[in-house]
Amino acid sequence: MGFDANNGTDKLVIALPKGRILKEAMPLVHAAGIHPEPAFDDPNSRQLRFATNDPDVDIIRVRSFDVATFVAFGAAHIGVAGNDVIMEFNYPELYAPLDLGIGACRLSVAETESLRAEDDPRRWSHIRVATKYPEITRRHFAARGVQTECIKLNGAMELAPALGLCRRIVDLVSTGSTLKANGLVEVEQIVDVTSRLVVNRTAMKVRSREMTGWIERFREACHDRAA
Amino acid sequence: MTTIQKTDSRALLPNGLRDILPPNAAFEAATVESLLATFSGHGYDRVKPPLIEFEEGLLTGSGKATAAQTFRVMDPITQRMMGLRADITIQIARIAATRLADAPRPLRLAYSGQVARVKGTQLRPERQFTQAGVELIGAGGVDADAEVILLALEALGGLGIGKLTVDLNSPRLVPTLCAALGLDAAPTEELRKLLEQKDIAAVAALAGDKAAPLLALAEVVGPAETVLARLDALDLPGEAAAHRESLAALTRQIMDKAPEADVTLDPLEHKGFEYHTGNSFALFARGARGELGRGGEYVSDLGESSERCRGVTLYLDSVLDVTPRPGPVRRLLVPSDLNRDTRRALVADGWVTLPALGTEANATEAKRLGCDHLLDQTGTPRPV
């Protein structure tokens, strides 16, 4: 069966992440001139795909990790995704032309305070880490000659060290209060995270005019907010 | 809930490999033949290199980039390592530099065949797929680039594919510019990656006070009619300016000669163009997940002296995604004792004829075998 990057129509599909980032992203989406139908703001709605004021634009709301996947495979044309997610998947079909400057936090290594006192990272040959980001974690430690066994968790990473699942975690940190509450200290920062506008490579080529137009609208929205 | 018929577990194939069944296998073969007929009509002669050869042959020159993608097997006769080709371009370059070294230049060769890859990509998970393409060997310059691109458009257009997009690239432009800016190899590699992803914010941060020319280059990504003027206006040093002029000249020529296609520019692209030395390009169409094909200029140094070459490779899986399918064939059930001359005449008429083996040619048998027509007593095909 033939794959159709347009879902059978010429509609543009924008993928937005659920949760934390969405609240910060919406003012930019509005400023770019896109207003979703009322069901989008209704917490009881089971709808996943939403019409907008522009009949040629639909919005889908998916998990933040899935935004990158939908856009990379061309199921959505534009999306909002953190560079943590972009780095984790490293999809060659994804362009990230615009830093939206929202959702700022950092991806860091954290460990228990007691471990920190006795540990010498220069002697590591193998470590075990609980994380939602196994690829970034492996690459990060491989670059300094350490083999990593990653335990993939989808949330509540901070619990893992206390319960003996592992002694270190790699996770997003914004204020550090969750780490502190769980007796963990941030020992190393891997990367600063902000949300990016991502676009599908093929869409960027075959709908070049339209896509550059949208990137420009989002760029102006960011610029206006900063001003 | 509907239950689905399960396939026997013996049918399981390794990842990325599949059986292509009727009518898709015939569709693919006909598509390949159509492409090659266009190539041949434009002066490109067909060659057929083997599926497996010694790995040194496959992995030199432009083949180096495929080393990680090549299946290897030991030749029990010579005890030498052989590789299963992951790309055909390098084989054509070898043929041109050795067995056809004396053939007059420019040499025009066409090919089609299967390639195998150790690992598929996200967009193309297949580990075996069909390629078809051409190589123009021993010719340089924008006219030669344009010849190959226009031929690819001609061949794809002949399949009835709708609007095609030609994305024109210059993979040496960014490294040349970085070298002129005095950037070392390591940041250049990182900058290329970031520029490819169009991550302008990260480029600005990494390149610091040297970012301005790179950011200006990033403004040249988009539809040719809007960004070509920006390309012309770029302030570039020496060699980078030469790359820019060549890209601009090629863009003008394609826009002029192929008004049916959409032309886009992207001087930041280099993925898959690792061994390209001049202009390169990728072909896209709405509805296809990835590229339909790609190509560009490279230098073959397999022969006594190096030669400038350019070519295009089409990926049949993507091409088939957007090629209109032929109408259903007319299948005719005929008596098994039908006279050979009559059957030959029906086949020449375009019928697919199936003999009713061991049974009478009747409507029930015709339907069972998926025939829409039945040859009646008078020798006339009748719908069933």
Side-chain angles (χ1 to χ4, degrees):
Chain A
M1 197 178 68
F3 168 85
D4 189 344
N6 307 314
N7 278 334
T9 75
D10 272 353
K11 260 194 184 185
L12 185 90
V13 178
I14 301 180
L16 297 177
K18 287 180 182 172
R20 181 176 69 95
I21 309 291
L22 188 64
K23 214 183 286 172
E24 290 182 67
M26 281 323 284
L28 292 172
V29 173
H30 291 306
I34 306 165
H35 304 280
E37 60 180 305
F40 188 78
D41 299 312
D42 176 1
N44 295 320
S45 170
R46 292 268 178 142
Q47 213 173 311
L48 298 171
R49 179 173 181 161
F50 306 89
T52 67
N53 59 320
D54 186 335
D56 295 327
V57 177
D58 273 5
I59 288 181
I60 59 169
R61 195 165 57 192
V62 296
R63 278 165 174 261
S64 63
F65 272 67
D66 295 341
V67 168
T69 306
F70 271 88
V71 177
F73 282 84
H77 306 97
I78 300 182
V80 172
N83 55 327
D84 53 330
V85 175
I86 300 171
M87 282 172 70
E88 176 65 16
F89 287 118
N90 213 1
Y91 284 126
E93 298 299 318
L94 212 58
Y95 288 162
L98 186 59
D99 186 345
L100 298 171
I102 58 171
C105 55
R106 55 193 187 270
L107 189 66
S108 293
V109 186
E111 57 188 36
T112 52
E113 291 199 50
S114 54
L115 178 63
R116 193 185 186 187
E118 67 186 39
D119 198 27
D120 180 0
R122 283 172 304 184
R123 299 198 169 191
W124 293 350
S125 65
H126 164 274
I127 55 169
R128 191 194 285 163
V129 180
T131 184
K132 211 170 158 180
Y133 302 90
E135 287 303 320
I136 298 179
T137 304
R138 248 179 239 125
R139 278 203 299 270
H140 175 75
F141 286 107
R144 46 192 248 198
V146 178
Q147 179 204 122
T148 320
E149 178 189 344
C150 291
I151 301 172
K152 172 89 199 269
L153 294 180
N154 291 307
M157 246 71 61
E158 295 83 357
L159 279 175
L163 297 178
L165 191 57
C166 59
R167 304 199 293 175
R168 290 175 192 83
I169 65 169
V170 166
D171 198 12
L172 294 179
V173 182
S174 49
T175 60
S177 55
T178 314
L179 290 181
K180 203 165 177 199
N182 287 281
L184 298 172
V185 281
E186 190 178 349
V187 290
E188 194 184 356
Q189 186 179 330
I190 298 180
V191 68
D192 277 316
V193 175
T194 49
S195 292
R196 312 294 164 99
L197 189 75
V198 292
V199 299
N200 173 262
R201 174 166 173 260
T202 303
M204 189 72 186
K205 308 295 185 195
V206 300
R207 311 174 73 154
S208 188
R209 285 160 205 83
E210 193 185 349
M211 299 296 282
T212 44
W214 280 109
I215 295 169
E216 211 36 59
R217 281 164 87 167
F218 274 97
R219 180 168 295 145
E220 276 162 25
C222 287
H223 196 261
D224 290 350
R225 182 204 43 190
Chain B
M1 206 164 76
T2 52
T3 50
I4 55 162
Q5 286 277 301
K6 290 198 182 77
T7 318
D8 192 286
S9 67
R10 282 172 301 180
L12 181 70
L13 293 170
N15 272 358
L17 298 171
R18 56 186 178 157
D19 293 324
I20 301 182
L21 302 180
N24 295 341
F27 178 44
E28 181 184 299
T31 306
V32 168
E33 279 319 307
S34 162
L35 293 171
L36 282 153
T38 308
F39 296 156
S40 147
H42 287 76
Y44 286 79
D45 297 325
R46 192 162 178 171
V47 287
K48 189 187 173 204
L51 194 57
I52 303 180
E53 57 174 279
F54 292 123
E55 87 174 322
E56 303 93 277
L58 281 178
L59 306 182
T60 55
S62 66
K64 271 181 208 141
T66 63
Q69 283 290 12
T70 304
F71 277 107
R72 282 141 172 115
V73 53
M74 175 77 85
D75 178 7
I77 299 172
T78 60
Q79 304 279 304
R80 284 170 69 188
M81 196 57 88
M82 303 190 296
L84 187 51
R85 66 184 177 200
D87 200 75
I88 301 179
T89 305
I90 182 65
Q91 298 187 299
I92 309 298
R94 174 177 56 71
I95 290 174
T98 56
R99 273 177 256 284
L100 295 180
D102 291 339
R105 269 29 181 186
L107 181 63
R108 294 181 169 87
L109 298 175
Y111 62 86
S112 128
Q114 301 292 309
V115 298
R117 303 211 166 155
V118 168
K119 205 166 163 247
T121 60
Q122 270 146 350
L123 281 197
R124 185 170 281 120
E126 290 81 10
R127 295 203 291 170
Q128 177 188 337
F129 53 89
T130 309
Q131 288 188 344
V134 297
E135 297 297 324
L136 173 55
I137 295 134
V142 168
D143 288 350
D145 284 339
E147 173 177 327
V148 168
I149 294 173
L150 293 169
L151 177 55
L153 290 176
E154 196 70 23
L156 292 170
L159 299 176
I161 296 176
K163 189 141 189 116
L164 289 158
T165 300
V166 187
D167 190 44
L168 296 171
N169 322 110
S170 180
R172 296 295 312 152
L173 190 49
V174 170
T176 310
L177 182 56
C178 286
L181 291 171
L183 289 158
D184 295 333
T188 297
E189 202 37 55
E190 184 64 18
L191 281 169
R192 281 189 91 167
K193 209 180 104 209
L194 294 170
L195 283 166
E196 175 121 58
Q197 293 173 346
K198 319 288 186 268
D199 193 342
I200 306 308
V203 170
L206 184 62
D209 57 350
K210 289 168 179 161
L214 296 170
L215 298 182
L217 198 58
E219 294 292 315
V220 186
V221 177
E225 77 271 5
T226 44
V227 298
L228 185 55
R230 287 183 214 160
L231 181 68
D232 288 330
L234 286 180
D235 179 22
L236 294 171
E239 205 188 326
H243 284 304
R244 177 263 308 275
E245 261 113 61
S246 165
L247 179 62
L250 178 62
T251 307
R252 293 207 161 79
Q253 195 169 143
I254 300 298
M255 286 171 81
D256 180 45
K257 291 187 175 159
E260 78 280 11
D262 226 350
V263 182
T264 56
L265 273 172
D266 188 347
L268 308 183
E269 194 90 21
H270 72 92
K271 184 176 21 185
F273 296 129
E274 286 80 4
Y275 55 87
H276 287 275
T277 50
N279 292 321
S280 61
F281 61 93
L283 301 157
F284 296 86
R286 279 204 188 194
R289 185 179 285 187
E291 305 147 340
L292 304 186
R294 60 161 66 212
E297 191 202 57
Y298 61 98
V299 171
S300 163
D301 45 16
L302 305 176
E304 306 225 316
S305 57
S306 63
E307 288 189 285
R308 292 175 80 182
C309 308
R310 64 255 303 113
V312 58
T313 303
L314 302 177
Y315 308 116
L316 262 294
D317 51 342
S318 298
V319 171
L320 291 174
D321 268 353
V322 289
T323 302
R325 299 192 152 251
V329 292
R330 302 182 305 166
R331 285 161 69 93
L332 175 66
L333 188 72
V334 300
S336 57
D337 57 356
L338 185 68
N339 164 307
R340 286 180 70 201
D341 282 337
T342 315
R343 190 165 177 198
R344 208 173 281 137
L346 287 165
V347 171
D349 233 15
W351 289 100
V352 169
T353 59
L354 278 81
L357 260 188
T359 173
E360 185 194 340
N362 58 30
T364 318
E365 182 67 358
K367 279 185 189 143
R368 192 179 72 80
L369 291 176
C371 294
D372 45 7
H373 284 75
L374 172 68
L375 198 69
D376 72 8
Q377 307 293 342
T378 65
T380 318
R382 296 217 178 281
V384 294

